[in-house]
Amino acid sequence: MADQIPLRPVRSAASRKRAAYYSAAGRGPGAERPSRSLLEDEYARLDEMPLMMSEEGCENDEGDYHTLPRAGAARRRRRPERALCGGWQSLCSSCCEWLINVCQRKRELSARTVWLGRPEKCEEKHPRNIIKNQKYNVFTFIPGVLYEQFKFFLNLYFLVVSCSQFVPALKIGYLYTYWAPLGFVLAVTITREAIDEFRRFQRDKEVNSQLYSKLTVRGKVQVKSSDIQVGDLIVVEKNQRIPSDMVFLRTSEKAGSCFIRTDQLDGETDWKLRVAASCTQRLPALGDLFSISAYVHAQKPQLDIHSFEGTFTRDDSDPPVHESLSIENTLWASTVVASGTVIGVVIYTGKETRSVLNTSNPNNKVGLLDLELNQLTKALFVALVALSVVMVTLQGFVGPWYRNLFRFLLLFSYIIPISLRVNLDMGKAAYGWMVMRDESIPGTVVRTSTIPEELGRLVYLLTDKTGTLTRNEMVFKRLHLGTVSYGTDTMDEIQGHVRASCPQLPPPAGRNSASSTPPRKAQPSAPKVRKSVSSRVHEAVKAIALCHNVTPVYESRASVAAETEYAEADRDFSDENRTYQASSPDEVSQPPMEHLTVSPCFLGLRGMSVALVQWTESVGLTLVSRDLASVQLRTPSGQVLTYSLLQTFPFTSESKRMGVIVRDESTAEITFYMKGADVAMSSIVQYNDWLEEECGNMAREGLRTLVVAKRALTEEQYQDFESRYTQAKLSVHDRTLKVAAVVESLEREMQLLCVTGVEDRLQADVRPTLEMLRNAGIKVSSRGEAHLELNAFRRKQDCALVISGDSLEVCLRYYEHELMELACQCPAVVCCRCSPTQKARIVTLLQTHTRRRTCAIGDGGNDVSMIQAADCGIGIEGKEGKAASLAADFSITQFAHLGRLLMVHGRRSYKRSAALGQFVMHRGLLISTMQAVFSSVFYFASVPLYQGFLMVGYATVYTMFPVFSLVLDQDVKPEVAMLYPELYKDLTKGRSLSFKTFLVWVLISIYQGGVLMYGALVLFESEFVHVVAISFTALILTELLMVALTIRTWHWLMVVAEFLSLGCYVASLAFLNEYFDVAFITSAAFAWKVSAVTLLSCLPLYVVKYLKRKLSPPSYSKLMS
C-alpha cells in the first residue's frame, strides 16, 4: 500500500486548481471532494519534479548573475555602432538557435490519464492516428531522390562533368553526349521511386480511410481511422484490424475474453488471448460506459510489445475502484480481432502506437562486390587525373594549362563508365528474377535486390534450430520421474498408472450412485512401490495437463457455446470437434531465451505446449475446457475434474518459467504448479541428485527438456499471497519488479515431479545440406564455461564448440577476442539458449574480427535482429510466423533450399557480376586509351576523337546488349555445382574480381586501344575522316569479339544480342554522313583495313586464352569435360 499513502505535500495554486478541475469533472459522490486516486496522481507529478535545477538552467542562471555588473559597466563604455553590431549578432545567433531547436525538437513521451469517452479532457495534444510509410512529400521528392543519387562519387562525378559543358571554354562536344546517359539514369531512378512512393501513398490512404464504429452518448457513429482520438471508445468487429492502441473494456463473449491475431505485429501466427477489464465487462449494458466516471492511467509509449503497465480507476464509487492493467488487457494497433466484438478506449495513436514505434528502416546493405568496384572506381579516377597531368606536362604547360587540364579530364572521363552502375543494377534484378523462377526451390522470394552476389561470398553461416533446422512439430518422447523413466515404447504403462490412480479421487457432487460411491482401496496384493509409482505418474500427468495456457476450441459447437453459460451439459467434448489453441505470451508471443541446440531448454512455444496437452490426452487425462476462471479435465472413466484457476503467471524471458495456482473443486486443495527450463528450476526445487544428469542425457538424445514441480498451499498462505500480489499489481512504479518479488516468495522448496523430453524432428535433407555447406568451406554456427574452458578447448582439434547462453554472455563481455579466435578455428559452433541480442552481437563480432561475409538464417521474430545484422539475411516462412521472412533479404520455404541458393545462384550472381563489371570498365578504358594515343600523335591537343552520336551509341545501342548478355553466362552446370560444393571455396577468395584481374583488363585495354588507334593511323591514306571510320568500326567489332571471348557457355539470347548490335551499327552507317565517308566505307579497302586492325587486336588474346586453358585450366574445367 506504499503507493497509495497520501503524503499531502504543500501544493501550489496551479496544482490546487488542477485538482479542483478533476474533482468537478467527476460525477456522483466522488464529485464533492478530490478522490484519492486524483490526489495520488498529483503526488506522482510532484515526485517527478526535479529536486534541483537542471544543468542548463544552472548555467544560464549563473551566467546571467555573474555578467550583470560587467554588463552594466560595459554598456556605459560601448559605442553606439558597436552596440548595433552586437545586437544584430545576438539576434542572428538567437534565430539560428531557435531554428535548430525547432528542427531537432522531439516531443517527450510521458504517462497519461485517459478518461473513457471524453477525449476533450486530455491535457496534452496527441498525434493524429495516421499511418505514413511514405519517404517523401510533394516538396521533398525531387530533392530527396537527387540527393540519394548524387551522394555516390560516381554519379556526382558525372554531374560535374556534364555541368562543365555549359562553360564555353571547357566544351568539347555536344551536350547530349554527356547529359543523355546521365539523364537516362536519373529518369529510370526517379520513375522507379515515383512508382514505389505512389504505391506507398495508396496503401497508407486505404488504411487511414477505413471506417470504425465510435461510441458516443448519442449512439454509434462511423469515423475514419485517421480521425480517431485518444479517449475515444471504439468498437472493432471480428476479422477487423485494430486501428490504434487500446485498453480492452468489453466484449460480446460472455467469458470476458477474446482472441486476436498478431502476425502483422510480431510475426507470430498463433492467436493471443486478451481479457477485458472486469469493471467495465460487468456493466449491464453498453451505454453504461457513459454513465460512469472512469479513467485509465497508462504508462508512456514504449517499444516493448509484450508488456504494459496501467491502472483502471472508477472514481464515482465510494471507495474508488482500482484495477490493475497488464499486457493481457491491451489491444495493440495492427492486430486483428479473431473472435467476438470488442470495445476499447484509445490510449495511443499514430506514431506513439507500439507498431509504429517498432517500425524502423533497416540499414541498406552493400555487397562486397560493390565495395570492391567502388575501390576500383577510385583507382580509375586516380589514373584519369594522372593521365591528364601527364598530357599537360608533355604539352609543356603552355598557355592556360589549367584549362587544358580540365579539358583532358573531360576527354578521358570515359575511363569511369557511367553505365557501370546501370548495368550492375539491371543484372541484380535479373538474378533475383532467375532465383524466384527456379522450380527447384519453389516459394523463394528475393526481397533485397542489391546483394545477390553475397550469396556466393559467404564464409560463416549462423542458423536458428527450432523451425529452421527442425519442422517445429513436437512429439512427446520421454517422461522421467527420477527413479523410473518412460519412453515411447512404455507409454501404455503410463496410461495404466493414470487409470489406476484416477478412481481414487473423490468424484464431484451431483453424480449418479454408481459414480458417487466411495473410492475403492487399493488391493492388498498390490505392492507398495507400485502404488507409489502410480500416484507419482498421475500427479506428473495432472501437472502437465493443468500448467499451461492452452485453450480447447470446439469448432462445431462455437455458436452454442456463445449462447450458454458454459455448463457442462451444453459442451461437446467429442475428440473430433476439439482443437487446441495456445493463447498467451507464455506459449506464443514471448519465446524464451533462444535455445537453438540439442540441449535443455524451455518449452515456451505453442507447438511444444500443445504437444504436451495432446500427450496427456493420449494417456487418459484430457483437457476439455478452459476459461479465465476454471479448467476441466476428463479422466479415462469419463469423470470430469474441475479446478478453479486462481492465478496465472505468464512466461517472461527473465524468469524462463510459467506457473498456475489452482483449487481442486472436489477437495478444496490449493496447488501451485510451475514448469520451466532446468537452469531456472534447479534452484527452486528441493534438493535432488538426478535432475542435472537426466536433463543432460535427454539433451544428448536431441530432446528439448522441461522441468515440472508443485507446491501445496494452505488457504491462509494463499490469502496472504493474493493480498501482496494484488498490491504489487496496483503499483504505479516498478510494478514488474514488485510482482516478480511476490511470485518468487512462493518459489521455494517446490516438489520436483518430473522432467519431460520432446523431440522436434529435423526437416527433410537437413543433414545433406549441412554436409554440403561444410564441404563448401562455410562454417556453421547454430544459435540454440568461460575463460579456463576456452583455453582448455583451444588445445583440441577438429571439435565443435558448444556454449550456453550464460557462459556466452561472460565470454562476450570479458573474453571477446579469445572467443572469436576459438570459434573461427572450430568446424562448427553451437550456442545454447541465446537471446536475440546475443545473436546479433555474435554476427557483428564475426564481421569485425574476421572481415568475412556472414549469413544468418531463422524463422521466428526473435531471429530478426540476427538477420538484419548479417551481411546476407535469409528467412524461412514457417509455423512461427512471417517476421523473419519479411525482414530477410531472401525468403525460402525450407532449409534444404539453402544449398541450391548458395551453390548455384550465389555462384552465378558473383561470377556474372564480376565479369560484367570488369567488361564495362574495359569498354571505357579502351576508348580512353584510343583518345590518349590520338592526342599524343596530334601534339597533345585536347580535341575529342569521336563526337556526338558516336560516343552515345558506343555505350548504348552498339555494345549494350552483348555486354549485358553476360548475365546469362555460367561456368559450371547447376548439377555440377551441387555435386561438388568444394568449388564454392574459390568464390570466397574473391579471385574473380581483384586488383590482379583488374590490372589484366587494364593491360588488355591498353594493348587493344593502341593497336586500334595506331593501326587506323598507319592504314589511312588521305582524309582524317577515314581514321575515324576505320578505328570506330574496328572498335565495335573488337568489343563484340571480346564478349564472345569472355563467354563460357553460350545462350541463344547471347547470339541474338551479338547480331542485333552488329546489325544496328551497319544500319546506322547510312545515317551518319557527317562522321563517315559513304564512298570509303563501301569500298574493299575499308573492309580489309578494318579486318586487319580487328584481327591484330583480338587474335593474340584468343591464342593466350587457349594456351592458358591447356596449360593451367581452372578447377571447374575438368568437371565440365
Side-chain angles (χ1 to χ4, degrees), residues 528-546:
K528 187 175 182 180
V529 176
R530 182 73 177 178
K531 290 189 298 184
S532 175
V533 171
S534 295
S535 62
R536 289 170 59 193
V537 170
H538 176 263
E539 190 62 38
V541 174
K542 183 174 69 173
I544 296 173
L546 289 173

Side-chain angles (χ1 to χ4, degrees), residues 226-275:
S226 57
D227 296 331
I228 293 176
Q229 303 177 21
V230 172
D232 285 343
L233 298 179
I234 303 299
V235 180
V236 186
E237 304 291 340
K238 181 179 179 181
N239 294 325
Q240 194 174 18
R241 185 188 71 90
I242 297 174
S244 57
D245 288 354
M246 302 192 297
V247 168
F248 189 10
L249 299 180
R250 285 178 66 87
T251 176
S252 59
E253 303 290 324
K254 292 193 176 182
S257 61
C258 76
F259 285 105
I260 62 172
R261 298 195 297 268
T262 62
D263 55 319
Q264 296 301 317
L265 182 63
D266 58 10
E268 305 292 347
T269 57
D270 301 301
W271 294 1
K272 312 296 189 302
L273 183 69
R274 291 295 181 260
V275 182

Side-chain angles (χ1 to χ4, degrees), residues 460-462 779 781 783 819-820 823-824 840-855 871:
Y460 294 98
L461 175 67
L462 298 94
K779 297 184 179 181
S781 175
R783 324 295 324 151
L819 176 64
M820 287 297 104
C824 294
R841 190 174 175 189
I842 291 175
V843 173
T844 306
L845 288 177
L846 279 174
Q847 294 170 337
T848 304
H849 285 262
T850 65
R851 303 293 180 183
R852 298 296 185 94
R853 312 310 281 178
T854 60
C855 175
D871 297 302

Side-chain angles (χ1 to χ4, degrees), residues 653-880:
S653 58
E654 292 80 15
S655 65
K656 305 178 188 176
R657 55 190 179 270
M658 70 87 56
V660 295
I661 300 179
V662 298
R663 176 188 279 115
D664 190 339
E665 292 296 324
S666 59
T667 62
E669 294 179 352
I670 301 176
T671 308
F672 173 35
Y673 291 105
M674 176 161 284
K675 68 179 182 181
D678 59 307
V679 292
M681 299 291 291
S682 59
S683 60
I684 295 175
V685 300
Q686 297 172 351
Y687 173 77
N688 61 88
D689 58 356
W690 60 272
L691 176 60
E692 182 178 357
E693 180 182 357
E694 293 305 326
C695 287
N697 292 337
M698 291 187 187
R700 282 185 285 273
E701 296 179 23
L703 303 181
R704 307 180 68 182
T705 57
L706 170 72
V707 179
V708 184
K710 78 166 187 176
R711 179 184 176 185
L713 301 176
T714 64
E715 187 68 33
E716 293 76 15
Q717 287 175 328
Y718 175 71
Q719 293 299 331
D720 174 66
F721 166 79
E722 185 183 31
S723 175
R724 292 184 289 116
Y725 189 64
T726 303
Q727 294 177 22
K729 289 201 299 183
L730 289 175
S731 299
V732 177
H733 305 290
D734 299 327
R735 176 186 297 179
T736 303
L737 297 177
K738 294 178 181 179
V739 169
V742 174
V743 175
E744 287 177 2
S745 66
L746 282 184
E747 301 171 345
R748 298 173 181 172
E749 293 298 314
M750 299 189 70
Q751 178 186 350
L752 177 59
L753 296 178
C754 65
V755 176
T756 63
V758 176
E759 180 187 28
D760 189 3
R761 297 177 177 175
L762 289 175
Q763 294 183 14
D765 298 328
V766 167
R767 298 181 195 275
T769 303
L770 290 174
E771 184 179 357
M772 177 192 301
L773 296 176
R774 183 176 180 180
N775 292 335
I778 299 176
K779 297 184 179 181
V780 181
S781 175
S782 178
R783 324 295 324 151
E785 297 276 11
H787 193 41
L788 295 178
E789 297 177 356
L790 288 177
N791 289 332
F793 190 88
R794 188 178 299 162
R795 292 190 291 268
K796 302 178 182 179
Q797 296 181 355
D798 198 25
C799 295
L801 172 63
V802 181
I803 185 170
S804 64
D806 296 336
S807 300
L808 178 64
E809 182 64 29
V810 175
C811 293
L812 290 176
R813 183 174 300 180
Y814 301 108
Y815 312 111
E816 187 178 284
H817 179 74
E818 291 88 341
L819 176 64
M820 287 297 104
E821 181 182 353
L822 179 59
C824 294
Q825 294 175 359
C826 297
V829 179
V830 180
C831 300
C832 319
R833 307 185 209 102
C834 304
S835 67
T837 306
Q838 287 176 329
K839 297 180 186 182
R841 190 174 175 189
I842 291 175
V843 173
T844 306
L845 288 177
L846 279 174
Q847 294 170 337
T848 304
H849 285 262
T850 65
R851 303 293 180 183
R852 298 296 185 94
R853 312 310 281 178
T854 60
C855 175
I857 178 170
D859 71 316
N862 50 359
D863 300 318
V864 170
S865 56
M866 173 178 69
I867 288 173
Q868 291 183 339
D871 297 302
C872 180
I874 300 176
I876 295 181
E877 187 173 332
K879 294 186 178 181
E880 290 190 26

Side-chain angles (χ1 to χ4, degrees), residues 273-317:
L273 183 69
R274 291 295 181 260
V275 182
S278 58
C279 185
T280 51
Q281 180 67 23
R282 289 195 301 263
L283 294 176
L286 193 60
D288 293 338
L289 289 172
F290 291 95
S291 64
I292 64 173
S293 177
Y295 63 86
V296 171
H297 178 75
Q299 63 180 168
K300 67 179 182 179
Q302 303 279 348
L303 284 171
D304 190 0
I305 63 176
H306 302 305
S307 66
F308 175 74
E309 293 181 4
T311 306
F312 179 89
T313 303
R314 181 176 177 180
D315 64 350
D316 58 354
S317 60

Side-chain angles (χ1 to χ4, degrees), residues 930 946 1010-1021 1026-1032 1034 1089 1093:
M930 297 177 65
Y946 307 120
V1011 169
L1012 292 176
M1013 195 67 246
Y1014 278 113
L1017 291 173
V1018 169
L1019 295 178
F1020 96 101
E1021 296 177 356
H1026 296 173
V1027 175
V1028 174
I1030 295 173
S1031 62
F1032 192 79
K1089 291 179 181 179
V1093 173

